[in-house]
Amino acid sequence: MSEGGKNNSPSGIGLNRRKFLKGMGTGLIGTATLSKGLLGEETEEKTPVASAKSRDITMATVTMTINGKRYSVEVEPRTTLLHVIREKLGLTGAKKVCGRGECGACTVILNGRTVYSCMTLAVEAHGAKITTIEGLAKSDKLHPVQEAFINHDAYQCGFCTPGFEVVLKDLLDKNPRPTLEEIKKGLSGNLCRCGAYPHVVDVALELAGRKGGM
Ligand code: FES
Ligand code: FES
């Protein structure tokens, strides 16, 4: 661009920057006007607009027992169990990391089965018995799995740790002496971005009475 903002374009139009921007502005307004003129009224009539009534959401009351305590909460049908646990009940041990069933950081035990709470609707948990990471320790005494995680330094950032500990507790409750293969399979639904896997496996081997591998 030359002095004075003139454009040296080969077209010779001599469009300067200010004119160009003004033109763009006019173009945008023009487009908006055109859209409204051509589409405005008709579009508004033809597009179904959710009425206040249709936007009303039917809430559901969900009752569940978490770590031995009974809770009753109002939820939308789309609300996840993880959301209820963390945001409504303040049990923030289960973590929302991926939020789509890939990492296992949100794992809880629901009616004796480990589940990804981010992939479980709260309404599905109605009447359920749930154990979260907060339910492992008894008053001031950590669960043996939690003690072993500390002793083996089995975490770095710790985001995956609640999920791993819940899964390992469940695994050992059901199979107190799992083999290395069973341990690997049991932990396969949980991811650790920090790469603490060898230490987590050491925890499992020790608790299974198989320290040193097999
Ligand atoms: S947060 Fe639920 S699986 Fe990752
Ligand atoms: S310790 Fe950081 S993700 Fe596992």
Side-chain angles (χ1 to χ4, degrees), residues 155-161 191-194 196:
Y155 46 78
Q156 287 182 43
C157 77
F159 263 83
C160 68
T161 309
L191 300 179
C192 173
R193 289 175 298 183
C194 301

Side-chain angles (χ1 to χ4, degrees), residues 132-144:
T132 67
I133 186 69
E134 288 89 348
L136 265 60
K138 297 293 170 230
S139 27
D140 283 348
K141 179 133 184 65
L142 291 178
H143 188 278

Side-chain angles (χ1 to χ4, degrees), residues 39 66-67 84 102 104 107-108 114 121 133 136 150 166 176 185 192 195 201:
L39 306 171
I66 304 178
N67 305 327
V84 168
E102 289 177 358
T107 304
V108 300
T114 52
L121 291 174
I133 186 69
L136 265 60
I150 293 170
V166 167
K185 190 173 172 198
C192 173
V201 171

Side-chain angles (χ1 to χ4, degrees), residues 6-214:
K6 290 271 169 63
N7 190 303
N8 294 329
S9 71
S11 65
I13 293 171
L15 183 67
N16 68 27
R17 179 183 158 87
R18 180 168 296 180
K19 280 182 184 166
F20 174 76
L21 291 172
K22 278 174 83 175
M24 283 292 288
T26 310
L28 288 172
I29 293 164
T31 306
T33 307
L34 183 65
S35 298
K36 187 163 176 29
L38 292 178
L39 306 171
E41 301 308 317
E42 274 190 79
T43 306
E44 274 173 26
E45 281 175 13
K46 286 183 178 172
T47 305
V49 177
S51 68
K53 191 164 185 198
S54 68
R55 281 202 301 269
D56 284 351
I57 296 164
T58 306
M59 302 292 280
T61 303
V62 171
T63 303
M64 52 185 101
T65 303
I66 304 178
N67 305 327
K69 189 171 169 189
R70 198 169 162 84
Y71 295 92
S72 208
V73 284
E74 288 264 296
V75 297
E76 293 179 19
R78 63 177 180 157
T79 306
T80 65
L81 177 59
L82 178 61
H83 182 83
V84 168
I85 289 171
R86 285 183 58 85
E87 311 303 331
K88 287 185 178 275
L89 305 180
L91 298 168
T92 54
K95 297 286 178 276
K96 184 175 182 181
V97 176
C98 70
R100 56 186 186 192
E102 289 177 358
C103 72
C106 63
T107 304
V108 300
I109 303 170
L110 187 149
N111 289 340
R113 284 181 55 231
T114 52
V115 298
Y116 294 153
S117 60
C118 73
M119 298 295 286
T120 305
L121 291 174
V123 289
E124 294 178 84
H126 181 58
K129 283 192 177 155
I130 295 166
T131 303
T132 67
I133 186 69
E134 288 89 348
L136 265 60
K138 297 293 170 230
S139 27
D140 283 348
K141 179 133 184 65
L142 291 178
H143 188 278
V145 169
Q146 294 171 308
E147 293 274 13
F149 261 73
I150 293 170
N151 294 339
H152 284 273
D153 205 13
Y155 46 78
Q156 287 182 43
C157 77
F159 263 83
C160 68
T161 309
F164 270 108
E165 291 185 350
V166 167
V167 165
L168 195 50
K169 179 226 182 299
D170 182 66
L171 176 71
L172 293 166
D173 281 351
K174 291 171 179 161
N175 178 9
R177 280 183 58 79
T179 64
L180 179 58
E181 280 315 304
E182 287 169 334
I183 289 167
K184 286 182 179 174
K185 190 173 172 198
L187 298 176
S188 63
N190 291 63
L191 300 179
C192 173
R193 289 175 298 183
C194 301
Y197 298 110
H199 294 227
V200 174
V201 171
D202 279 349
V203 167
L205 288 170
E206 179 185 285
L207 294 171
R210 300 185 187 279
K211 185 70 184 138
M214 59 173 294

